[in-house]
Amino acid sequence: MTKRLLVIGAKGMLGKDLMDVLRFPFPADEGWEILGWDIDEIDIQEEESTVRKIERIQPEIVINAAAYTDVDGCESNEEKAFTVNAEGMKHVALGSRTCGAKVVYLSTDYVFDGQKKEPYSEEDPPHPLSVYGRSKWKGEQYVQELLKDGLIIRSQWLYGRHGKNFVNAILRQAKEKKVLSIVDDQVGSPTYTVDLANALSHLARRRAQGIFHVANSDSCTWFTFGQAILKLSGRTEVKVVPISSKELGRPAARPPYSVLSTQKLARETGLTLRPWSDALRDYIQSLVAVDPVGKTSAL
Ligand SMILES: NC(=O)c1ccc[n+]([C@@H]2O[C@H](COP(=O)([O-])OP(=O)(O)OC[C@H]3O[C@@H](n4cnc5c(N)ncnc54)[C@H](OP(=O)(O)O)[C@@H]3O)[C@@H](O)[C@H]2O)c1
């Protein structure tokens, strides 16, 4: 009998890597069919159609990676942030609940205020600073209220082949500018979407529930991350200047320190993601492999 796994947000940065990775732990020869939907197939803002579409395919597992992820945009569009990130999650949960489907929700380090001086555990109380963070926390609350065995995966500072992200932005700017100013007062763990997708698949496969923090190991500031990107891509002629978040003046406040402790993941599954610098090296090498002269890709 066919068992369906549905990814919502399948055309997003993480969603595309998930679609590549999930077929290994959920193979067709064990009866798994992996479906990927995005805004063209389902608009999770609409309750009735979201519930109906999920019920129609009777999935075993639903991964909700769809979100309004423009953190600064959320500040001026609070209604959309909550409709997509919180109410959207509620609608997905309602549709999944009636089929008894396992739900996985992607959440963020931005649920924390960044006042801690050591990595945040799953038990630390959220206190988001931004509209985006508040909307994602509300989404988490719906998962916890509506589902017995929902899985919430918090991750951070994502980059990968298929979306807008810091690594690609730095590589693009390095082609145009001699000096880059990068924020040096926020600390986190850059996380490669392929590594997150693999860990998520593992957690979904073993039917984990509750909250799990998943990120590449070690931490850095955006400034250090930027330096590493330039070094690994051979752009050492570009100078980087550290600046403060205040100088950058973004609309949304970010936590100054939002490293996620992944001890629970290690304890309960034996998984530890590799250091961010190793993952970044692989990512940059993968860009070179597809585009050795840097004509079309970010490199
Ligand atoms: N990026 C990060 O650094 C980061 C960090 C921590 C957690 N997360 C979480 O991880 C998840 C994946 O992030 P990502 O960076 O891969 O996001 P992304 O690239 O922005 O992908 C999200 C996808 O969801 C789609 N979408 C938006 N509104 C929708 C709706 N109403 N109905 C259905 N689909 C909709 C988007 O379509 P459009 O592009 O057409 O809008 C896009 O394809 C999100 O839940 C995010 O909150 C991200």
Side-chain angles (χ1 to χ4, degrees):
M1 213 182 87
T2 305
K3 296 174 282 186
R4 297 201 172 94
L5 185 159
L6 171 63
V7 177
I8 305 179
K11 290 185 185 148
M13 180 168 66
L14 175 64
K16 282 191 173 163
D17 280 334
L18 272 171
M19 292 303 291
D20 280 345
V21 158
L22 283 164
R23 61 203 157 93
F24 299 106
F26 297 96
D29 62 10
E30 286 179 18
W32 285 100
E33 181 184 11
I34 309 216
L35 300 169
W37 290 353
D38 207 275
I39 187 80
D40 293 337
E41 292 81 23
I42 188 169
D43 181 352
I44 61 171
Q45 296 176 97
E46 294 169 8
E47 175 168 350
E48 195 264 317
S49 62
T50 298
V51 170
R52 182 170 33 82
K53 286 177 180 180
I54 294 174
E55 285 176 353
R56 198 165 57 212
I57 61 158
Q58 292 286 309
E60 299 265 321
I61 301 176
V62 178
I63 300 174
N64 181 18
Y68 177 37
T69 53
D70 177 352
V71 176
D72 292 314
C74 285
E75 292 298 307
S76 50
N77 208 340
E78 183 161 354
E79 193 183 336
K80 180 175 173 188
F82 275 84
T83 317
V84 179
N85 297 344
E87 299 309 306
M89 182 58 248
K90 179 182 169 188
H91 305 151
V92 171
L94 291 173
S96 306
R97 189 171 65 176
T98 55
C99 333
K102 167 98 188 158
V103 171
V104 184
Y105 176 57
L106 267 302
S107 191
T108 167
D109 57 324
Y110 287 1
V111 299
F112 296 118
D113 62 15
Q115 293 309 307
K116 260 187 102 174
K117 301 283 179 275
E118 59 187 51
Y120 280 91
S121 83
E122 289 80 355
E123 281 77 46
D124 283 317
H127 183 229
L129 301 174
S130 61
V131 171
Y132 172 73
R134 288 206 302 278
S135 68
K136 295 296 293 185
W137 186 31
K138 186 72 189 165
E140 290 189 8
Q141 289 167 316
Y142 280 133
V143 173
Q144 289 167 323
E145 282 164 26
L146 295 170
L147 302 160
K148 282 197 308 288
D149 64 346
L151 170 61
I152 294 165
I153 296 182
R154 294 191 187 126
S155 193
Q156 63 181 161
W157 293 27
L158 298 186
Y159 64 90
R161 290 284 298 284
H162 306 291
K164 267 191 178 174
N165 61 71
F166 181 79
V167 181
N168 295 356
I170 292 292
L171 291 172
R172 193 182 56 249
Q173 287 173 33
K175 288 181 184 169
E176 297 155 6
K177 299 179 183 174
K178 291 194 172 69
V179 182
L180 305 182
S181 301
I182 308 182
V183 166
D184 198 27
D185 57 5
Q186 293 169 30
V187 180
S189 304
T191 300
Y192 185 19
T193 45
V194 172
D195 291 2
L196 172 59
N198 276 310
L200 188 158
S201 307
H202 185 76
L203 286 165
R205 175 84 203 186
R206 52 183 283 147
R207 298 289 198 275
Q209 50 183 286
I211 304 175
F212 279 83
H213 289 176
V214 179
N216 280 119
S217 2
D218 299 343
S219 59
C220 61
T221 67
W222 292 110
F223 174 75
T224 315
F225 187 28
Q227 282 180 314
I229 295 163
L230 293 170
K231 189 168 172 216
L232 288 167
S233 60
R235 296 266 172 184
T236 43
E237 77 285 2
V238 180
K239 197 169 170 262
V240 271
V241 177
I243 58 165
S244 66
S245 304
K246 205 169 163 197
E247 282 172 274
L248 186 65
R250 285 277 188 78
R254 269 83 169 166
Y257 179 94
S258 59
V259 179
L260 298 172
S261 164
T262 55
Q263 282 182 13
K264 179 180 174 190
L265 178 74
R267 201 172 53 241
E268 296 197 10
T269 70
L271 271 183
T272 300
L273 271 59
R274 59 188 163 165
W276 67 262
S277 49
D278 291 352
L280 178 65
R281 180 174 296 108
D282 263 11
Y283 174 63
I284 288 181
Q285 276 170 4
S286 78
L287 296 179
V288 179
V290 292
D291 187 14
V293 288
K295 271 198 178 147
T296 53
S297 78
L299 201 64

